[in-house]
Amino acid sequence: MGRRKVSAADAEVLRGLRHAASVGPDQAMADWLATGLAGDPTHPSATGWTAHGRPATLARALATTLTSVAADRFDAALPLDGAEVLGRRAQLSAVDPEGAREPDARLLRAADGWWSLNLARPSDVELVPALVESQVDDTWTDLGRWAAMLPAAVVVDRATMLGLPSSRLGETPVPAAPWRTRSVAARTSSTSRESLRVVNLGSLWAAPLASRLLGRLGAEVVHVESSSRPDASRWGSPAFYAELRAGAEVRSIDVMSEPGRAELHALVSSADVVVEASRPRALEGLGVSPRHVMPDGRARTWLQITGHGPDQPQRVGFGDDAAVAGGLVIEGPDGTPRLYGDAVADPLTGLAGALAVAANHDQQRQTLVQASLAWSAATARAAGDVSC
């Protein structure tokens, strides 16, 4: 791809971020209350808590900018409240208002600071004995004892080596914007279809949300799932899974077979916009990475979502642990940090990714947009603190 540039979209979001940083604490708290997460155990409702960062205010700024771009570039009305987007999964998943939710991710103390670990998948739990190099009787208790004797960097490096979603508190620097864009002139213009075709290869929250928002701009959206490894949110939050795919096609493909890979390659090659949130080696193995597809010279926009940015492409990241990497936590009177909201880095990145694509897509250019859960969290953290 060509050189990195500051696009019109980048300028728009920076203006939005300046607005997010300028609102007073009362408005910032009102933004957070609008998420509907006030009863969640991760909401800083008790006196003396400090919320580090303003995710709901950033989400509203991103949504407002996306609404403006939708009207200007797509002639589409897109009523959208970013604060409501942050709380939507919890609402549809019927999170206990008394705060009985047991998170998969937790913050733990290391010898020199705090770190997070996300045991979101059964395979993650199975790797804990390998992480601590001993038999485990009580998962979180044993993890806490092990980590307390080691520097956070050592703990996270070992977890990362095992493919576990983990991060040090505040490790991600604040980016200039929550995405990067690179673009070159295409040899062939994109399709003459009346609407854009968006092919989403990502699962869970950020990638499906970005695709859903582009669908609301009038795009034709196809969500691809492996027949042998469907999206886990089908069972974890069925109503939310259905909402993110409303009005779109969900196509199950046997990506382990030759016919399935041929079908996948043809579908991705036909897309005007590709959205993905996989580690590069997964797409490389399937023959549908940017390296395989973009040399055809056809104009398209490729949205690449990672946990921690393209410089750490193989590192796993989910919404809660990536939020910790960005420093997006709440802190009690005794200085103990806790998770902030419901995996907020995911919806922030979905909003940012949709905005980046909507503002940068050009039927005469090939554009790579790189977004990161940790970048989104760090951006929200930079917007300031709110004391309760």
Side-chain angles (χ1 to χ4, degrees), residues 231-308:
D231 191 327
S233 61
R234 278 179 176 270
W235 302 279
S237 182
F240 187 61
Y241 172 90
E243 181 170 283
L244 289 181
R245 289 155 182 80
E249 176 186 356
V250 178
R251 189 177 300 189
S252 179
I253 298 177
D254 179 7
V255 299
M256 303 309 293
S257 70
E258 287 300 324
R261 293 191 184 196
E263 179 186 359
L264 178 62
H265 190 277
L267 183 60
V268 171
S269 297
S270 74
D272 302 297
V273 177
V274 178
V275 181
E276 52 100 345
S278 302
R279 284 182 284 181
R281 66 187 180 199
L283 297 185
E284 288 278 344
L286 295 174
V288 289
S289 69
R291 182 177 69 85
H292 290 93
V293 178
M294 299 301 258
D296 66 2
R298 183 177 177 276
R300 66 171 62 82
T301 299
W302 193 291
L303 172 59
Q304 183 182 75
I305 297 174
T306 57
H308 295 272

Side-chain angles (χ1 to χ4, degrees), residues 23-42:
V23 303
D26 290 343
Q27 180 58 53
M29 182 53 68
D31 291 339
W32 182 249
L33 291 174
T35 66
L37 292 169
D40 189 274
T42 60

